[in-house]
Structure formats: C-alpha cells, structure tokens
Amino acid sequence: MGFLNNFDISGYGLSAQRFRINIIAENIANANTTRTPEGGPYRRKEVIFKAVPFNEVLNQEIEDTSRFHKYENPLDEEGLDDAVAKPPIETVIVDKVVRDDSKPILKYDPTNPDADENGYVAYPNINPVIEMTDLIEATRAYQANVAAFQNAKAMAESAISILQA
C-alpha cells in the first residue's frame, strides 16, 4: 500500500460523514415541512454507505486525473500464484440516499392551509432525538477520520525528519 493512501482513505471517510451530516441537517431543518414539490410532508432521508476496495477507487482516480501507474496487488510476485492481499484495503463511499416512507404524523389543525377535509395536517415523521443521536454519531466518526489523518501526517513528518538526518 502506498504511504499516501492513508490520506486518501481518511479523506473518503471525511467526505462520507460530511455528506451524512448534511442529510441529517436537512432532516432537522424540514421537521415541520408540510408541503413539498412531490406533494405531502417532507420525508426523512438516510444515507447508506458502501465499503469498496480502495485499489478500485484509487485506480479510477488515477485514470481520470493523472498519468501515474495503476496500483497493483503487492503480493502479485513470481512464485505467489493468485496471492491476494487479505483482507483487501477498503474505503467508504456513499452508496445511496434512501427516503423513509413511514406514515406521517397527523395533527389536528383545521386553520392550517395544508389541513385535509377532516382538519388534520400531515407532518414529517422526524424524531429530533433520533436525528441528534445520528448527528453525534456522524460527528464522532468525522472526528475519528480527522484523527487518523493527523496520525498519518505525523508518521509522514517523522519519516521525512529521519530521511533528513
């Protein structure tokens, strides 16, 4: 594994968690939204992550942005037939954003312009406690990726100082 791959892997983790934080913030901001372009109340969204082999992501990035050599299996040497690095180095990407189609919360408010014929207004089924818990979890995961990035940076600085001596 290349020495700088640590930075890339942490960077993907940071991007994924930042995206998740943005979706959570959207859910919180729309907790009382009763009208959307699709019709009806806002629907809670949730981010689904996917672990992918880092060499595939890295090789695609290399192919798209530079003329470097592709990353190859470090165990692919003579005498090691079909040897594969186990476990493979994986990174995280956002796979998809799913919409929660659970029933909305009905509140009686006949004066609201979005009330139905019985006087009930459909509000999003968003629980602020769950959203704040998810936000704390995403923030801690983001902080963990920052710490991993900083540790990789400190290791790189130590290696450079050794080479300078």
Side-chain angles (χ1 to χ4, degrees):
M1 176 169 112
F3 189 72
L4 297 177
N5 292 356
N6 296 330
F7 297 115
D8 291 330
I9 292 170
S10 293
Y12 279 101
L14 289 167
S15 295
Q17 293 302 332
R18 186 178 61 241
F19 185 84
R20 181 176 175 212
I21 290 169
N22 289 342
I23 294 297
I24 293 167
E26 180 182 329
N27 289 340
I28 293 169
N30 285 291
N32 292 312
T33 302
T34 59
R35 188 181 305 171
T36 61
E38 297 89 30
Y42 174 83
R43 299 292 184 168
R44 180 179 185 268
K45 295 177 184 173
E46 193 170 355
V47 178
I48 306 297
F49 295 137
K50 178 180 177 183
V52 293
F54 181 68
N55 63 326
E56 292 176 10
V57 175
L58 179 63
N59 284 337
Q60 186 62 48
E61 192 71 26
I62 288 171
E63 186 177 308
D64 292 345
T65 61
S66 67
R67 294 188 306 218
F68 293 131
H69 293 290
K70 288 188 172 187
Y71 171 83
E72 295 177 359
N73 181 359
L75 298 180
D76 189 15
E77 297 176 2
E78 221 172 283
L80 296 175
D81 296 333
D82 298 325
V84 178
K86 303 249 188 227
I89 300 165
E90 295 185 325
T91 191
V92 64
I93 61 170
V94 173
D95 187 33
K96 57 187 168 184
V97 177
V98 295
R99 187 175 79 171
D100 181 0
D101 285 329
S102 60
K103 286 186 164 188
I105 299 168
L106 296 177
K107 293 183 182 177
Y108 185 72
D109 184 4
T111 61
N112 189 311
D114 291 329
D116 64 11
E117 61 279 350
N118 297 322
Y120 286 95
V121 181
Y123 284 91
N125 191 9
I126 294 176
N127 184 337
V129 174
I130 291 173
E131 296 304 321
M132 291 306 295
T133 303
D134 287 349
L135 183 60
I136 290 168
E137 181 184 341
T139 302
R140 296 265 167 88
Y142 188 90
Q143 291 169 342
N145 278 293
V146 168
F149 189 93
Q150 289 173 336
N151 286 335
K153 179 182 165 192
M155 287 172 42
E157 289 171 346
S158 295
I160 290 171
S161 69
I162 289 171
L163 292 173
Q164 288 176 340

